[in-house]
Amino acid sequence: MQTILGASGQIGRELAVCLNRDFTKDIRLVSRRPQKVNETDTLFQADLLDPEQTRRTVEGSEIVYLTAGLPMDTQLWIVHWPIIMRNVIAACEIHGAKLVYFDNTYMYPQTSEPQYENAPFIPNGGKGQVRAQITTLLLEAMAKGTIDAVICRAPEFYGPGKTQSITNSTILDKLLAGESARVFLRDDVKRSLIYTPDASRAMALIGNTPDAYGQTWHLPCDDNRRTYRELITLAADIFGTQPNYRILKRWQLWLAGRFSLKVRDAAELLPRYESDNIFVSDKFKARFPDFKITAFEEGLETIWQERKQAKEK
């Protein structure tokens, strides 16, 4: 059996589809309010903050995927993420399950330097610090040999369904609604973005590749990186709308943060929007050369078709 912890998010749901299609029908979906993705899925309601509940969710699993997410609340992350990671590591150790951890890049330096799997952890702000902390907890357990695990790391998302990201919420969703997109700080720096179905497909593949364990992998992205100006032009053409947008300056975001906790909590991520973001996934592409990466044109077309079909219903 393969178990997805945090199965209600976009990554978890797409992962369930990939696993069912390519690897196994024996899938357990775990969240506070789990819902079936595939007909044969088993549902398990649990709170990963509870160690006993976490142990029960892992029991009987060969492979466990940690794809859980938390609201963009810095204090919540600082308190809850270490508890979740310790509980999951302990549960996998007790039951001898392999762990596939879906990670992000918040702990990386927010500079234009290319990011490889060995990039140093130099976090900017509380969310980056706690991500560095919990990833280090897992790396230490892996080094001790108490757990067989693999880290799958992804940059910012874009994608269909309920994909949650700054790019989706401030750019793509706005254009789809016929509104002006909003760009943080600059529109002329290159962005590395991963298409959420690609992230889930790649994670399923890594999780079912025995020699991939004990390592960190950057999940694959379209290397034809676009600036937000270029992405907006391309998306507007596909969506059949106008490529209108405005650039939000630091003072505007600071002012908005005085009235919005969500904006205020995103402030520590702002440096990444001031310079090129070069997330390198060459290691994955060399190991899995047959993996088809979704080009921006195809991904945006899928998003558009999904939204159009939803309107027609």
Side-chain angles (χ1 to χ4, degrees):
M1 179 171 58
Q2 300 195 21
T3 295
I4 303 173
L5 305 179
S8 296
Q10 188 69 17
I11 293 295
R13 292 183 62 82
E14 290 170 350
L15 176 60
V17 171
C18 298
L19 291 175
N20 180 77
R21 182 187 62 224
D22 299 330
F23 298 103
T24 181
K25 305 295 183 188
D26 191 6
I27 300 170
R28 176 187 288 165
L29 303 183
V30 179
S31 72
R32 295 192 180 193
R33 289 176 293 276
Q35 294 181 330
K36 281 192 175 185
V37 177
N38 311 293
E39 185 59 35
T40 56
D41 292 341
T42 301
L43 303 184
F44 199 115
Q45 186 175 16
D47 181 353
L48 298 180
L49 292 169
D50 184 300
E52 180 56 35
Q53 289 185 40
T54 305
R55 284 194 289 271
R56 291 203 306 269
T57 69
V58 169
E59 186 175 5
S61 304
E62 177 190 1
I63 302 172
V64 172
Y65 301 84
L66 178 54
T67 66
L70 291 174
M72 286 293 282
D73 181 322
T74 300
Q75 191 57 38
L76 194 71
W77 280 39
I78 290 171
V79 174
H80 286 179
W81 262 123
I83 298 172
I84 292 172
M85 180 58 82
R86 289 190 182 97
N87 287 347
V88 171
I89 290 173
C92 289
E93 289 174 339
I94 289 168
H95 295 297
K98 294 181 178 180
L99 176 60
V100 181
Y101 170 46
F102 183 65
D103 198 9
N104 66 27
T105 62
Y106 285 11
M107 75 291 288
Y108 279 172
Q110 297 185 31
T111 68
S112 60
E113 289 296 313
Q115 298 171 346
Y116 294 89
E117 284 85 353
N118 63 351
F121 291 178
I122 307 177
N124 177 54
K127 284 187 287 294
Q129 290 167 2
V130 77
R131 294 300 296 208
Q133 177 188 355
I134 63 175
T135 302
T136 300
L137 282 173
L138 179 55
L139 288 169
E140 289 173 348
M142 292 163 64
K144 292 176 183 175
T146 59
I147 188 171
D148 196 6
V150 62
I151 297 171
C152 298
R153 189 165 292 142
E156 186 177 332
F157 307 150
Y158 84 102
K162 297 180 181 179
T163 297
Q164 296 184 21
S165 71
I166 288 176
T167 295
N168 263 57
S169 62
T170 64
I171 294 177
L172 301 182
D173 289 349
K174 296 292 185 184
L175 293 175
L176 286 164
E179 302 173 6
S180 291
R182 299 174 183 175
V183 175
F184 286 0
L185 304 183
R186 293 179 62 169
D187 65 349
D188 60 346
V189 293
K190 297 289 186 181
R191 312 303 312 152
S192 291
L193 301 171
I194 192 165
Y195 187 57
T196 49
D198 284 2
S200 296
R201 280 195 302 124
M203 186 161 47
L205 179 57
I206 288 172
N208 287 275
T209 302
D211 66 10
Y213 282 78
Q215 305 175 58
T216 297
W217 297 84
H218 278 185
L219 299 180
C221 305
D222 181 358
D223 283 343
N224 183 21
R225 300 176 182 89
R226 308 296 181 107
T227 65
Y228 273 142
R229 180 194 304 157
E230 294 168 339
L231 183 68
I232 289 168
T233 299
L234 178 62
D237 182 59
I238 292 171
F239 299 166
T241 188
Q242 294 299 311
N244 297 327
Y245 68 96
R246 61 191 181 99
I247 300 173
L248 300 180
K249 302 298 185 182
R250 272 190 176 275
W251 69 267
Q252 292 172 306
L253 292 167
W254 174 83
L255 186 61
R258 296 188 64 185
F259 303 97
S260 168
L261 176 62
K262 187 174 182 180
V263 173
R264 190 159 63 248
D265 274 346
E268 70 184 68
L269 306 178
L270 288 180
R272 70 176 57 201
Y273 297 99
E274 290 183 306
S275 59
D276 291 337
N277 176 234
I278 310 299
F279 180 86
V280 181
S281 48
D282 291 351
K283 175 181 173 180
F284 179 94
K285 292 164 188 170
R287 176 62 181 81
F288 304 102
D290 296 330
F291 187 96
K292 182 183 180 298
I293 299 168
T294 303
F296 281 110
E297 293 85 351
E298 183 182 349
L300 292 169
E301 179 65 30
T302 299
I303 293 169
W304 166 237
Q305 292 298 330
E306 179 187 71
R307 186 62 60 93
K308 187 166 65 170
Q309 290 170 12
K311 286 182 178 181
E312 293 171 353
K313 289 182 178 180

